[in-house]
Every structure is written in C-alpha cells, then in structure tokens.
Amino acid sequence: MSEALAAQPSPAPLLEIADIAKVFGGIQALSGVSLAVHPGELICIVGPNGCGKTTLFNVISGALRPDSGSIHFRGENTGAMKVHEISRLGIGRKFQVPGIFVELSAADNVRAALAGARAAGAFGLMRQKGLDDEVGAILGLVGLGGRAEVPAGELAHGEKQWLEIAMVLAGKPKLILLDEPTAGMTAAETAATADLIRRIADETAAAIIVIEHDIQFVRRLECPVVVMMKGQVLRRGSYAEISADPAVREAYLGKRA
C-alpha cells in the first residue's frame, strides 16, 4: 500500500453514540453505551430480553431522550430532537409488529409511504422517476413484485413484514432500524428475510442496524455483531468471534453455542 493510500482518513461515522445512559425509575436500561455505524454498514445487535436493545432504538429514533451521553447522526446532535425531525434527517424504523394498511394493496401501501415521504421532504427521495416505476422497484427489491395488487391483509406473515420494510425504503433512509424483523416467521421466511436484508445492504447506500434473537438468522446475515447485556455493550465482532467468546457463550449463547 502506498503512503498516500495509507494516509487517507476513514469516513466519518453516519451514526455516533457516545456514553449513552437511560434510567427508568431504579432500572438502568442503558449504561455507558457507545457505538459507531458507518455509511452502508450492516450490523446486528443481539442480547437477552431486557438488555436494552429496543431502548437503544428508541433513543436513536427520538422516541426517548437519553439521560446523559450524546448521539450524532450525519454530524448533527439529535439527542434533543423530536421523532419527526430525526426521521427527516434520514432514519427509518421498522417495528416488530407490521404497521401496514391491511385493506390496501401492497402497491398502495408503498404509494402511501411515498406520498408521506414526499410531503415530509424526505432526504434523498428520487423524484425523477414515475411513481409507478418507483413503487414497482421497491416491491421488486423486497421480493413482492408479483404481489403488488394483493390486499395487504391477505399476504402471508413474512410478506407483511417485507411490505413494511418496503414502506421504510420509500423514504430513502440513510439509516434503517429493524426491530426483530423475523418475529413469528417460518424457517423459510426467516432465511428469505436474511437474504433480503443483505440485498438491501448491497443495493442501497443505507446503513442497517438489526435487532434479533434468532441466532441462525444472525449467522446468515454474515455481518458484525454487537452483544448487549444489562444495558451495556459486552462485545462487538464477527459472528465467529462472538460465538467463540467465553463471556458471550456463558451469558447469552449458551456453552454449547
């Protein structure tokens, strides 16, 4: 490697969380959590129930304010911003339970999301394409190209989850937060969802953070893994590194993991 290449600075983090704490009554939900996510990066956060994963998402998205520490997204301090202000900066979130319009077709759900994103002035929204072309491209990306006119309420459970991911993608987010995207899925749907998330990571410029319990799904994602315990980051590394770590095996994966 030449000296010129070696001297090039690494890109600034898209999301930078420093020493975040959050307390509910006497419960320390988050304690000194620090995390950096770079543009285009895919990471998975794992940990037992109550370890602070969803609280961390709530703090990132603005649903909760941290008690201390700082959060910067795209260089802006978002710790005191409201949810809609943070969303406009380019953060999209999918919750565990799909928030779709069951009486509308899959295509109309995405059209509604696109209309909402345009009304809100979503960052980076592609306005040069025709609406139908854009809807078709988004549905195709999530594997629902052939299900565009099916009422959302008639879709299989996994397809409903994919449709909500499509609705998040309609806002062209720079960072996507996926909270247990495989909840309630069959093994086949879970595998397809892992492949879908990898495809989104490969074909868009968005960074993605996934919260998940299914360790086989985490393995299939083939991405860096962050392990949380008792409101803190216990370890970060590849799946192989995490699964071989004695502290992680004892605390979360189990000794035979």
Side-chain angles (χ1 to χ4, degrees), residues 150-211:
V150 175
E154 297 179 12
L155 296 173
H157 175 71
E159 293 176 324
K160 291 175 181 175
Q161 298 277 28
W162 303 336
L163 177 57
E164 190 178 26
I165 292 174
M167 294 169 72
V168 172
L169 290 172
K172 301 298 182 293
K174 293 295 184 182
L175 173 64
I176 301 172
L177 307 177
L178 301 177
D179 194 346
E180 295 193 32
T182 67
M185 287 189 179
T186 65
E189 288 173 333
T190 296
T193 301
D195 294 342
L196 164 61
I197 292 170
R198 287 253 31 126
R199 186 163 65 250
I200 292 171
D202 291 341
E203 296 185 16
T204 74
I208 304 173
I209 307 176
V210 184
I211 288 175

Side-chain angles (χ1 to χ4, degrees), residues 14-137:
L14 178 70
L15 174 72
E16 191 165 19
I17 300 167
D19 204 27
I20 287 295
K22 185 66 184 178
V23 178
F24 299 105
I27 299 174
Q28 187 82 44
L30 297 173
S31 178
V33 174
S34 296
L35 182 68
V37 181
H38 290 82
E41 186 175 18
L42 167 62
I43 69 170
C44 188
I45 300 177
V46 302
N49 288 333
C51 72
K53 303 185 301 296
T54 297
T55 299
L56 180 60
F57 266 18
N58 286 336
V59 169
I60 293 171
S61 64
L64 292 173
R65 291 188 179 181
D67 295 324
S68 61
S70 64
I71 304 176
H72 287 81
F73 178 66
R74 298 178 60 211
E76 295 199 37
N77 188 334
T78 62
M81 287 186 181
K82 297 178 181 179
V83 172
H84 70 275
E85 294 172 328
I86 295 174
S87 177
R88 287 178 182 177
L89 282 177
I91 294 181
R93 181 176 181 181
K94 183 205 174 305
F95 293 84
Q96 293 182 32
V97 178
I100 58 176
F101 303 106
V102 295
E103 296 182 357
L104 298 181
S105 68
D108 281 342
N109 269 269
V110 177
R111 288 188 185 100
L114 283 167
R118 285 180 169 149
F123 177 84
L125 187 64
M126 294 187 295
R127 299 175 185 273
Q128 72 275 18
K129 297 178 63 178
L131 180 61
D132 288 341
D133 288 343
E134 199 162 355
V135 170

